Amino acid sequence: MENCIFCRIISGEIPSLKVYEDAYCIAALDINPGSPGHTLIIPRVHRKDLLEMDEALAGKLMMTAREIGGREMERLGADGFNIVQNNGIAAGQTIPHFHIHVIPRYHGDGKIVAWEPTSPDIETLREFREKLC
Ligand code: AMP
Ligand code: ZN
């Protein structure tokens, strides 16, 4: 898609630091990493977000995230990794081309991928269950 930064990375028009590629996706270093080794998994086809993805492609990309997370642990010495995938501006998505963040985590790195926990009462939780089930 024209003017999509990730489509332009896929086509080679914009350079990237690729660490992996296959028929479905590329994995490249995030230009502003949250921690050393932060990698993005990006499908070759333009899909805005998870709602536009099909099962086969989503599955392939999740297995690639698994592969990259494993490499971060084995080759970078990460102690764990976070998978983050934002959908919509409200959720922090800044580039409207689906991508999965694979963020290496190191003991004591002080990074946070978090929300502030709340304590709704059981009735409120039940209302949400009714809406979602
Ligand atoms: P999100 O906020 O989930 O849409 O994430 C977009 C990510 O893309 C951010 O972490 C950016 O740092 C990253 N990013 C933006 N432009 C580039 C680029 N040219 N190459 C690599 N990563 C990029
Ligand atoms: Zn795109």
Side-chain angles (χ1 to χ4, degrees):
M1 183 182 263
E2 235 179 285
N3 288 331
C4 169
I5 251 187
F6 286 171
C7 283
R8 293 168 74 194
I9 283 179
I10 295 287
S11 72
E13 195 187 326
I14 293 180
S16 66
L17 292 166
K18 243 183 261 177
V19 300
Y20 170 91
E21 65 182 313
D22 63 24
Y24 306 93
C25 66
I26 69 161
L29 293 183
D30 193 302
I31 205 167
N32 296 124
S35 79
H38 181 163
T39 300
L40 301 174
I41 317 296
I42 306 170
R44 290 190 183 279
V45 290
H46 183 91
R47 297 286 180 268
K48 182 169 59 124
D49 56 24
L50 185 58
L51 296 178
E52 290 195 353
M53 298 283 284
D54 64 35
E55 186 177 345
L57 186 56
K60 286 282 183 196
L61 265 66
M62 186 53 88
M63 291 311 284
T64 301
R66 175 184 186 272
E67 164 69 23
I68 298 301
R71 288 190 196 180
E72 290 173 353
M73 294 188 71
E74 282 167 23
R75 303 185 194 180
L76 304 182
D79 301 302
F81 58 92
N82 291 113
I83 297 292
V84 175
Q85 198 275 304
N86 300 323
N87 297 279
I89 292 169
Q93 185 177 12
T94 57
I95 298 190
H97 179 133
F98 178 94
H99 50 282
I100 300 172
H101 297 259
V102 189
I103 307 170
R105 298 301 305 275
Y106 304 88
H107 286 308
D109 64 13
K111 311 285 179 191
I112 315 172
V113 177
W115 52 90
E116 220 163 285
T118 60
S119 306
D121 57 33
I122 188 69
E123 274 318 309
T124 306
L125 289 172
R126 285 193 179 120
E127 277 171 32
F128 279 89
R129 181 184 60 183
E130 286 307 308
K131 288 178 184 165
L132 288 172
C133 73

